[in-house]
Amino acid sequence: MNSRIGTLYGVSVGTGDPELITIKALKVIKNSPIIAFPAGINQKLGKAETIIQNYLQPHQKKLSLTFPYTLSQEILERAWRKVALQVWEFLAKGLDVAFACEGDISFYSTFTYLAEYIKKIDSNLRIERIAGVSSPMVAASVLDIPLTVQDEKLVVLPAFYSVEELEKVLDWAEVIVLMKVASVYEKAWQILAQKGLLSSSYIVEKATQPEEKVYRNLTLLPHLKLNYFSILIIKNNPHNTQAI
């Protein structure tokens, strides 16, 4: 009987460009017998799987895990318990599992919930998180602007949950990032219009992916239909928007 419990790796794989994976993350992906990732929608490959697919070997087992897109806590918790048991099945056999997650593993990541629920099964389980490139940094790079300079204060808001907070933070923060802004874009646009900040605001959609789109100066764009993976960067200190 194998008494060894496998290690669970949370592996950050960046925003879309496979070359943004760190060397450490790539080593873990190549050396793990089980590769897990969030399932895609409508029979399509998920984003994380798409990023790493060319690095995978035939002998590795791919484990597609379903995380529902819902705000229902009951449905979410049921799903988290289910995926935790799916992953535990392999860890309990002594097999290491690498969970590939887009962006950075600690930044609004589904891995957080997976790790939490597996820890409930075995509190002594070894978990290792591999840091990576997150979307605010990538978006600034795509725009060819610094995200922050000198003593600028940066605020990151999960737009769907906290667009109402935007007006408050504009009173004191020089740089504001709205994550996954698509569903609340028009409301955010109205706030920026009132504050006179549309000309110093930027949208990056599907950063570093083949379908990447960039919108600079939102003044004439009140009704953009954006992809779920869209990020809004607001420069509340416009004289610092130029690359240094």
Side-chain angles (χ1 to χ4, degrees):
M1 180 176 178
N2 189 352
S3 60
R4 177 187 180 274
I5 301 298
T7 297
L8 174 62
Y9 294 93
V11 185
S12 307
V13 297
T15 57
D17 182 351
E19 293 185 350
L20 288 179
I21 299 177
T22 66
I23 294 173
K24 185 172 184 177
L26 187 57
K27 285 181 178 178
V28 171
I29 289 170
K30 287 185 173 181
N31 293 329
S32 298
I34 313 297
I35 308 297
F37 39 77
I41 300 174
N42 299 326
Q43 308 303 316
K44 296 180 180 179
L45 294 183
K47 189 175 178 184
E49 183 182 4
T50 301
I51 294 170
I52 66 172
Q53 61 180 334
N54 290 333
Y55 297 129
L56 301 182
Q57 308 299 316
H59 67 274
Q60 293 177 298
K61 178 175 177 56
K62 297 194 294 184
L63 184 60
S64 181
L65 303 174
T66 300
F67 295 87
Y69 291 86
T70 177
L71 296 181
S72 168
Q73 196 65 23
E74 182 180 351
I75 294 174
L76 286 170
E77 289 186 5
R78 191 159 57 241
W80 295 332
R81 284 194 293 270
K82 180 179 179 180
V83 297
L85 288 171
Q86 288 177 270
V87 173
W88 175 251
E89 178 183 344
F90 296 97
L91 295 171
K93 295 176 182 177
L95 298 172
D96 293 341
V97 177
F99 180 86
C101 192
E102 61 267 22
D104 178 83
I105 208 72
S106 65
F107 193 64
Y108 300 114
S109 167
T110 52
F111 180 76
T112 300
Y113 308 105
L114 174 61
E116 176 186 346
Y117 276 76
I118 289 185
K119 274 287 190 178
K120 292 179 180 179
I121 299 173
D122 184 350
S123 60
N124 294 318
L125 174 69
R126 181 169 177 260
I127 296 177
E128 185 173 340
R129 292 170 169 83
I130 312 298
V133 182
S134 60
S135 55
M137 289 68 185
V138 169
S141 177
V142 167
L143 291 164
D144 193 26
I145 61 173
L147 186 59
T148 57
V149 297
Q150 298 175 342
D151 61 346
E152 286 185 328
K153 294 178 286 295
L154 169 68
V155 172
V156 178
L157 296 175
F160 183 80
Y161 296 95
S162 56
V163 69
E164 293 80 8
E165 296 291 314
L166 179 55
E167 290 186 271
K168 296 178 183 178
V169 300
L170 283 170
D171 289 335
W172 59 271
E174 286 86 12
V175 183
I176 301 92
V177 175
L178 291 183
M179 305 290 298
K180 297 176 181 176
V181 72
S183 63
V184 294
Y185 171 72
E186 291 190 11
K187 187 170 184 178
W189 188 94
Q190 292 170 2
I191 294 172
L192 296 175
Q194 293 168 5
K195 298 285 187 178
L197 291 170
L198 290 170
S199 63
S200 59
S201 297
Y202 312 81
I203 293 278
V204 180
E205 185 178 20
K206 290 192 171 184
T208 73
Q209 299 177 52
E211 309 87 353
E212 175 187 279
K213 292 181 181 179
V214 174
Y215 302 93
R216 303 172 188 269
N217 189 341
L218 306 178
T219 302
L220 301 178
L221 302 171
H223 305 297
L224 281 177
K225 301 302 179 184
L226 298 168
N227 180 269
Y228 177 77
F229 293 105
S230 296
I231 188 169
L232 170 61
I233 295 179
I234 304 158
K235 284 289 189 172
N236 200 16
N237 192 12
H239 67 274
N240 277 336
T241 59
Q242 298 303 311
I244 294 176

